[in-house]
Structures are given as C-alpha cells and as structure tokens.
Amino acid sequence: MPTPSMEDYLERIYMLIEEKGYARGSDIAEALEVHPSSVTKMVQKLDKLDYLVYEKYRGLILTPKGKKIGKRLVYRHELLEDFLNIIGVDEQYIYEDVEGIEHHLSWDAIDRIGDVVQYFQEDEERIKHLREIHRKNEEEEKSSSK
C-alpha cells in the first residue's frame, strides 16, 4: 500500500486528470502546496512502484493500478466529506478535518462510514432528526454554561 504522502499525490493526480485530462508537475505542486522538485521525486517513486508512467518533459499517466487507487482515494475523501456534513460539522472545518483523518482509517472503517452515509441519504428525515438532536444538544450546552 502507498504511504499517506503517496496517497495524497495519487489522489491529486487522479483528480487533475479527471478535471483537465492531464496532470503537470506544476499543477500537482500548486495543488499540494509543495515544491516542484518534491513532485519530481515523488512521481519518480510512484513510477518505480508502477502507479504511473513518468517521462521527463512529457508528463505522466496513471497505470491501471494507479487509476484504481486514485479513484478509491477520491471516493474516500468525498465520502468523509459527506459524512462530516451529515453529522453537522461546520463547512469551514470539513476539508481540513478530512485531510487530518483520511489516512488514519482502515478501509473497513471507510466501508462502515459508507454504510452510515447511505443510511442517512436514503431518508432525508433521518438527517433532519439528527440535526434536531444536534440543535437540542447545542442549546443544552449554552444553557448549562451560563
């Protein structure tokens, strides 16, 4: 399995290719807020591990293995964003929270979170009920801290 850093690269490369049709080193560096030299080193590692094919000055393409992992990593990220949104995490925190937890969960945990997300998405009333619980708990917190 790729390291968390490799996962970040594969996820971003996959997303760039899906959005633009290609992923340049400069785009990857900008998206991940790293130096282009770091991108070159990581892309070379990913090439050696058969996640992508990198040709200097020509760009890169994901191998079937890289595409599969990239797609799964994007799914994981989006699923965790959906989950945090459903449970009422403030929108301003969701991206950073996902970045903080996504590499620390097993794929079994991700699959179970997927079940929970599906459960709530299948019936909007469940989400409304959860939000009502959230609102009541916040009111109780405010009144008890006075």
Side-chain angles (χ1 to χ4, degrees):
M1 283 301 296
T3 66
S5 180
M6 289 175 181
E7 286 184 347
D8 286 339
Y9 276 83
L10 287 168
E11 179 182 357
R12 185 57 58 188
I13 290 166
Y14 181 86
M15 289 174 65
L16 285 166
I17 291 172
E18 286 294 303
E19 291 167 10
K20 297 177 155 191
Y22 61 89
R24 294 183 321 216
S26 58
D27 296 328
I28 299 165
E30 183 180 326
L32 294 174
E33 299 178 351
V34 297
H35 293 286
S37 60
S38 299
V39 172
T40 301
K41 287 177 190 169
M42 181 59 79
V43 164
Q44 289 169 342
K45 266 188 208 175
L46 293 170
D47 185 0
K48 284 180 183 159
L49 295 170
D50 196 35
Y51 290 110
L52 55 82
V53 176
Y54 170 67
E55 292 181 28
K56 197 171 183 178
Y57 307 117
R58 300 218 44 214
L60 57 91
I61 59 167
L62 289 170
T63 62
K65 174 181 169 182
K67 280 183 188 172
K68 182 179 178 183
I69 297 277
K71 185 175 185 173
R72 187 140 166 94
L73 295 171
V74 169
Y75 163 78
R76 176 181 71 186
H77 189 100
E78 291 172 350
L79 177 69
L80 290 171
E81 283 185 351
D82 288 346
F83 176 71
L84 294 180
N85 188 319
I86 286 169
I87 64 171
V89 173
D90 191 316
E91 191 73 32
Q92 69 180 350
Y93 302 119
I94 289 179
Y95 182 82
E96 287 299 318
D97 285 349
V98 169
E99 288 297 310
I101 64 173
E102 66 184 340
H103 301 295
H104 301 285
L105 296 171
S106 68
W107 284 104
D108 185 50
I110 296 297
D111 290 340
R112 297 302 66 81
I113 289 170
D115 296 342
V116 171
V117 168
Q118 181 181 350
Y119 171 80
F120 280 100
Q121 288 177 337
E122 284 177 351
D123 184 349
E124 286 291 316
E125 287 301 313
R126 294 171 181 158
I127 294 174
K128 289 177 185 172
H129 187 217
L130 183 62
R131 297 268 159 82
E132 184 60 26
I133 292 169
H134 182 109
R135 188 188 61 71
K136 283 180 186 175
N137 287 340
E138 281 185 336
E139 286 176 6
E140 286 178 18
E141 264 182 46
K142 286 179 184 173
S143 66
S144 69
S145 65
K146 289 182 181 179

